[in-house]
Amino acid sequence: MVKKWRIVVFFVIVILLGGIISQTVMNTAKGINLGLDLQGGFEILYEVNPAEDGSEITEETLQATVSALNQRVNVLGVSEPNITIEGEDRIRVQLAGVEDQQTARELLATEADLSFRDVDDNEHLSGEDLEENGASVGFDQSNQPVVTVTLRDGNAFGKVTENILNEYNPPNNRLVIWLDYEEGDSFTEESQEAEPKYLSAPTVNQPLYHKNIQIEGDFELEEAEFLAEVLNSGSLPVELEEIYSNAVGASLGEDAMEKTIFAGFIGIGLILAYMLVYYRFMGVIAAVTLSAYIYIVLTIFYWMQGVLTLPGVAALILGVGMAVDANIITYERIKEEIRSGRSIMSAFKSGSRRSLSTILDANITTILAAGVLFYYGTSSVQGFAVMLIVSILTSFLTAVYGSRLLLGLWVKSRIFNKKPQVFGVKESEISEL
């Protein structure tokens, strides 16, 4: 007796699934963060060198540098920057969607070490004496942009200005403000240049016991804003040397994404066509579960706030092939059982049970390989590994259990009893028990 309610349940599940996918898949896909190879941007690999002679690069130093770089990237308004430590002395920065790459380079590599010195280059105050986020842009009486910084201790600044007044006569009674002063720099030499390296060298005419200081340097508004942002992001504890960079234009990234998606559709379409031709009705079940599989993988990646790159798309399509492989193993086991003379119900139960251990073994080994890639690989390889792991785990949900549930509803309805051709098996291939 045919149990039609099971068939009704099947169509209800498919309709609900189709409705959910059709209503949410576009928003989910648009919400996924794209890597620089898909939306344009650039990446830089830095070699980290000690800021002072004799100091060492430690794990704590690298972590502090990453934190400082993250603060600077926030100034650019970049969503989902990828800043990772590689090896013992390298940091890779990937910024997707950045248009002004030169400004980003300057913001990242500038040490932002502010110092207050006298004309003999003796340091009196440093950036550590600034209040956190204490830099801002203002305008002087002639409407010229200036940078205002707030010190932690106004008395300390007052003592510095008083010492300069006591030790230096005009015109050397100056407080020289440097950004990224380097050993060998000289105020005397730089003051002769048309564009000196120091920011400003105001004359000290009286002790100034206050916390707010204006840095005047004939700034354009953009230059003043940049300086304030750099100072607020904090100084770097190390020196960064750029050893590799790669830039991808927005148009190139968009073109790569379109071609990748087109290739993915072709690959998935060929896979589904093969399943439908070779496995007949079971191929229909595979098409349903594969659609659910792709949707669930994208949704999980969206929830993870992961960054999708070209290797990630490749891993997704590879995952489709592995999910199909799980279906093929199950369907072949079922066909073998039907050919041996078992009933459709018995063949379904036995084939599903026998295929599970094979699928499990194959996927566990792939997960182990993906785990090794994630642990030892660089950022793009890690993106591939994450997508591959998510794909494999999701395939267990859809290609194994989802396929078994949907196919089981039809088999247990008994509508296919004595209809082996529905499963791609000819009656002439069935052995007599």
Side-chain angles (χ1 to χ4, degrees), residues 350-372:
S350 179
S352 298
R353 184 176 62 253
R354 289 178 56 198
S355 63
L356 182 60
S357 60
T358 304
I359 297 171
L360 190 63
D361 291 342
N363 286 336
I364 286 177
T365 55
T366 307
I367 288 178
L368 290 175
V372 172

Side-chain angles (χ1 to χ4, degrees), residues 135 331 391 424 433:
Y331 297 163
S391 299
L433 291 176

Side-chain angles (χ1 to χ4, degrees), residues 299-316:
T299 301
I300 292 175
F301 214 69
Y302 171 75
W303 287 343
M304 291 172 56
Q305 289 297 298
V307 178
L308 186 62
T309 61
L310 283 174
V313 176
L316 174 61

Side-chain angles (χ1 to χ4, degrees), residues 9-29:
V9 170
F10 170 85
F11 283 109
V12 169
I13 292 175
V14 172
I15 291 172
L16 287 175
L17 186 62
I20 293 173
I21 293 176
S22 63
Q23 294 299 314
T24 61
V25 66
M26 292 305 298
N27 290 333
T28 300

Side-chain angles (χ1 to χ4, degrees), residues 114-119 124 140 146-147 149 157 160-162 164-165 168-179 187 191 196 198-208 210 212-219:
L114 190 71
S115 60
F116 299 82
R117 301 171 182 267
D118 55 38
V119 293
H124 294 276
D140 59 15
V146 296
V147 177
V149 296
F157 183 70
V160 170
T161 55
E162 189 172 343
I164 289 177
L165 281 173
Y168 294 95
N169 297 319
N172 292 325
N173 54 329
R174 294 178 179 274
L175 180 65
V176 188
I177 305 174
W178 292 82
L179 183 68
F187 167 75
S191 62
Y198 57 81
L199 297 175
S200 180
T203 300
V204 178
N205 295 316
Q206 61 181 353
L208 302 173
H210 55 71
N212 295 323
I213 305 170
Q214 282 190 348
I215 303 176
E216 301 175 352
D218 294 329
F219 300 119

